[in-house]
Amino acid sequence: QKEVEQNSGPLSVPEGAIASLNCTYSDRVSQSFFWYRQYSGKSPELIMSIYSNGDKEDGRFTAQLNKASQYVSLLIRDSQPSDSATYLCAVGYITQGGSEKLVFGKGTKLTVNP
Amino acid sequence: NAGVTQTPKFQVLKTGQSMTLQCAQDMNHNSMYWYRQDPGMGLRLIYYSASEGTTDKGEVPNGYNVSRLNKREFSLRLESAAPSQTSVYFCASSIQVNYGYTFGSGTRLTVV
């Protein structure tokens, strides 16, 4: 059973601070990693993908991957109240039958306080 | 550009009733997925279809059936609804897992 673990939170940060979200995964051979943002009552929205060890930056978002430690993180700089949402970590893997699937963590709820 | 379209958005069923949730994508994606999302449980895969003509069980398939009607459409059927199937259901599609999934807007189902 492939597992993706996230701290459920809630994580509360003041406006303008850096929010740090973490995720660990069980399958060593996974090659693709994603962060989704889900606003209350809405569907998940892809915000970041990362495939290689190191950092990947996109605007105020930075994804970090360490395959040796099986660890993925998302940093949100200059956090805004509009960033308040649940963040889902997802890890891709290939089944024995050759199908490709994502396994999702349960999500971390982030609240940014004005 | 509609993306992934789910119908209906809301539904209330009585125990024992049946219904079909519809999902269609216009992105020429190969793979389609049905998830349910419950508080504290995260997204759980019900069924998926890696390509047109194939379907496979996910982690919580009991009580559900699926049909991959063509490349665009993937439906989820509840034959005899139970209160435990009260949930939010999401359909998703992908061209390849390395590109992630695109989700539909969801169906909020209540079984009373």
Side-chain angles (χ1 to χ4, degrees), chain A residues 24-38:
Chain A
T24 58
Y25 60 95
S26 63
D27 187 7
R28 287 191 169 275
V29 301
S30 293
Q31 295 295 319
S32 54
F33 307 87
F34 306 89
W35 284 99
Y36 284 80
R37 177 177 62 200
Q38 186 175 24

Side-chain angles (χ1 to χ4, degrees), chain A residues 7-50:
Chain A
N7 187 330
S8 62
L11 175 65
S12 182
V13 300
E15 184 174 355
I18 295 175
S20 178
L21 304 162
N22 305 313
C23 171
T24 58
Y25 60 95
S26 63
D27 187 7
R28 287 191 169 275
V29 301
S30 293
Q31 295 295 319
S32 54
F33 307 87
F34 306 89
W35 284 99
Y36 284 80
R37 177 177 62 200
Q38 186 175 24
Y39 292 115
S40 181
K42 301 295 185 181
S43 59
E45 171 193 13
L46 180 64
I47 56 172
M48 289 289 288
S49 59
I50 187 166

Side-chain angles (χ1 to χ4, degrees), chain B residues 12 36 46 103 109:
Chain B
V12 178
R36 60 179 289 174
I46 305 171
F103 283 86
L109 175 67

Side-chain angles (χ1 to χ4, degrees), chain B residues 18-71:
Chain B
S18 62
M19 79 162 294
T20 300
L21 281 64
Q22 306 287 353
C23 176
Q25 53 90 10
D26 63 0
M27 297 173 287
N28 200 35
H29 284 177
N30 297 317
S31 302
M32 298 184 74
Y33 310 84
W34 277 105
Y35 284 88
R36 60 179 289 174
Q37 187 174 42
D38 303 289
M41 301 296 291
L43 284 164
R44 292 184 292 170
L45 183 64
I46 305 171
Y47 271 93
Y48 66 103
S49 172
S51 60
E52 186 178 355
T54 68
T55 60
D56 284 290
K57 295 179 180 179
E59 58 180 309
V60 288
N62 291 343
Y64 305 95
N65 286 301
V66 291
S67 296
R68 182 76 183 266
L69 303 170
N70 47 55
K71 191 170 186 178

